[in-house]
């Protein structure tokens, strides 16, 4: 059975065709999975440099993780209860010769070959920050002032196929994570939201911040989303790219003690920690910039180029 594809409106589909025609995106045959041109990559790299420098300035420790997550970690944080529709799980073949032949025959005929597979210990990473919490918890208590981790631009997967170029199944999410005292984690999150808004405005984008919620699954999920929104646990940095709704290009999330309770993260001996994370979606930010300033990067306003490529002679 083919995956259900989310509707995209005419403007979003038009933008996708334009990006492909101009070579900025390279089609794979599956909606939401694209290659990039050099120009697209240049903007991603520039965003990357800016975020890495900002993280370093804020005293962040750099950690990098692969785009696969032990499935037990996804289970522990309750992801399958909250977002079963977005998760990607790794299944592999472990059968005998005749089963291998059957698998190959199904595959060669482009038929369903999932019956021959077994679940492995791995899932795809749905958000760059997920590997951080158990990794820091494994070190023991966190210093009293907390820690900031720069997880860099991880590839993340979400099963949401769409012909909206802003909605991918696999994309780069650069995250910074703060694990620290409940008194400072929220102000850290808020200060970063303001800082990111200022950056977007300097980049010439018509952006604004708004409380938001995650796409929790089902009826229970609607209640969780309403509570998340009411408590302003999630802020999104929005830009109109294409279509009737603005697009979230970055998010600023306060998790209270959700991850710290799950993984036993404490400050000092037994002070409870809170956590927050910032997630920047590179591909969406590139789309926002291209929509605002056009396809020719060399023709972008000097002020924008000076932020993205400060070392280039003008
Ligand atoms: P979230 O964890 O949902 O708040 O996502 C963090 C950031 O990742 C968002 O603000 C977007 O910039 C980006 N993002 C989320 N979902 C997608 C998607 N399907 N395609 C492209 N970028 C996404
Ligand atoms: Zn996160």
């Amino acid at each position: 059975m083919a995956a259900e594809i989310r509707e995209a409106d005419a403007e979003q589909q038009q933008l996708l065709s334009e990006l492909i025609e101009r070579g900025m995106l390279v089609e794979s045959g599956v909606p939401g999975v694209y290659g990039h041109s050099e120009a697209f990559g240049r903007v991603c790299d520039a965003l990357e440099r800016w975020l890495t420098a900002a993280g370093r300035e804020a005293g962040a420790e750099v950690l990098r993780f692969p785009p696969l997550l032990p499935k037990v970690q996804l289970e522990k944080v309750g992801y399958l209860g909250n977002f079963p529709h977005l998760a990607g799980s790794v299944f592999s073949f472990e059968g005998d010769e005749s089963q291998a032949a059957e698998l190959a025959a199904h595959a060669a005929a482009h038929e369903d070959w999932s019956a021959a597979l077994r679940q492995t210990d791995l899932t795809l990473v749905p958000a760059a920050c997920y590997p951080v919490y158990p990794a820091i918890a494994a070190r023991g208590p966190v210093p009293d002032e907390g820690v900031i981790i720069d997880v860099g631009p991880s590839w993340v997967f979400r099963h949401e196929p769409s012909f909206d170029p802003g909605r991918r199944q696999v994309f780069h999410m650069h995250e910074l994570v703060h694990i620290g005292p409940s008194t400072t984690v929220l102000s850290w999150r808020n200060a970063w939201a303001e800082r990111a808004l200022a950056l977007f405005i300097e980049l010439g984008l018509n952006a604004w911040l708004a409380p938001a919620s995650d796409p929790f699954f089902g009826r229970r999920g609607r209640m969780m989303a309403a509570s998340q929104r009411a408590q302003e646990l999630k802020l999104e940095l929005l830009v109109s790219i294409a279509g009737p709704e603005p697009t979230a290009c970055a998010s600023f999330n306060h998790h209270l003690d959700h991850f710290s309770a799950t993984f036993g993260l404490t400050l000092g001996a037994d002070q409870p920690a809170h956590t927050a994370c910032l997630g920047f979606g590179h591909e969406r930010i590139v789309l926002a910039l291209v929509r605002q300033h056009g396809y020719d990067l060399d023709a972008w306003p000097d002020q924008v180029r000076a932020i993205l490529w400060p070392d280039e002679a003008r």
Side-chain angles (χ1 to χ4, degrees):
M1 198 177 75
E4 199 177 302
I5 299 176
R6 285 170 69 127
E7 296 226 341
D9 81 351
E11 195 189 1
Q12 292 164 340
Q13 293 187 41
Q14 165 67 28
L15 177 59
L16 178 60
S17 310
E18 215 174 275
L19 288 159
I20 292 167
E21 270 162 33
R22 288 172 177 266
M24 271 238 161
L25 295 187
V26 182
E27 278 184 292
S28 72
V30 174
V33 181
Y34 307 104
H36 296 158
S37 69
E38 184 184 347
F40 198 107
R42 267 182 71 205
V43 187
C44 288
D45 290 349
L47 292 168
E48 200 32 54
R49 270 194 305 274
W50 192 94
L51 287 166
T52 304
R56 192 177 303 130
E57 221 173 86
E61 173 185 345
V62 171
L63 290 177
R64 294 287 185 265
F65 295 94
L68 295 174
L69 191 71
K71 91 172 181 325
V72 66
Q73 289 180 14
L74 214 58
E75 292 163 359
K76 275 191 182 165
V77 298
Y79 194 85
L80 284 309
N82 292 333
F83 310 106
H85 54 306
L86 298 180
S89 318
V90 180
F91 283 67
S92 289
F93 175 74
E94 290 180 9
D96 60 21
E97 297 249 357
S98 75
Q99 289 162 325
E102 212 175 297
L103 166 65
H106 282 308
H110 304 296
E111 294 163 1
D112 182 353
W113 36 280
S114 58
L117 304 182
R118 287 184 59 174
Q119 187 166 25
T120 69
D121 291 336
L122 294 169
T123 59
L124 304 184
V125 171
C129 66
Y130 277 33
V132 170
Y133 311 104
I136 300 301
R139 293 179 179 175
V142 174
D144 287 342
E145 69 282 11
V147 290
I148 299 173
I149 305 294
D150 174 354
V151 212
S154 251
W155 277 112
V156 301
F157 172 86
R158 292 186 185 176
H159 177 62
E160 44 183 354
S162 167
F163 290 107
D164 171 3
R167 190 168 297 283
R168 307 250 181 140
Q169 298 203 67
V170 61
F171 53 96
H172 285 98
M173 194 190 288
H174 191 135
E175 289 211 48
L176 290 171
V177 180
H178 184 28
I179 302 170
S182 59
T183 45
T184 58
V185 163
L186 181 60
S187 50
W188 180 83
R189 192 274 313 246
N190 291 342
W192 263 99
E194 292 299 334
R195 182 162 186 203
L197 173 63
L199 169 68
F200 274 41
I201 289 171
E202 281 173 29
L203 288 173
L205 298 172
N206 182 9
W208 68 99
L209 287 166
S213 57
D214 287 310
F216 293 101
F217 184 77
R219 203 174 332 132
R220 177 177 147 271
R222 278 196 288 283
M223 280 156 56
M224 294 184 64
S227 147
Q228 186 185 29
R229 201 178 277 266
Q231 294 180 77
E232 297 203 0
L233 294 179
K234 185 178 192 78
L235 301 177
E236 282 181 340
L237 187 46
L238 300 167
V239 181
S240 290
I241 297 180
E245 305 287 337
T247 301
C249 291
S251 74
F252 309 87
N253 307 290
H254 186 205
H255 316 118
L256 301 168
D257 69 348
H258 174 66
F259 289 109
S260 42
T262 304
F263 293 106
L265 282 160
T266 58
L267 302 171
D270 57 0
Q271 277 279 94
H274 275 190
T275 66
C277 72
L278 326 167
F280 292 81
H282 281 359
E283 287 83 354
R284 284 188 179 174
I285 303 174
V286 177
L287 289 189
L289 288 166
V290 166
R291 276 304 244 191
Q292 184 66 40
H293 303 305
Y295 285 94
D296 180 3
L297 275 47
D298 295 329
W300 285 9
D302 282 349
Q303 183 194 330
V304 173
R305 295 176 49 77
I307 296 168
L308 295 175
W309 300 287
D311 298 333
E312 276 181 26
R314 270 176 300 279

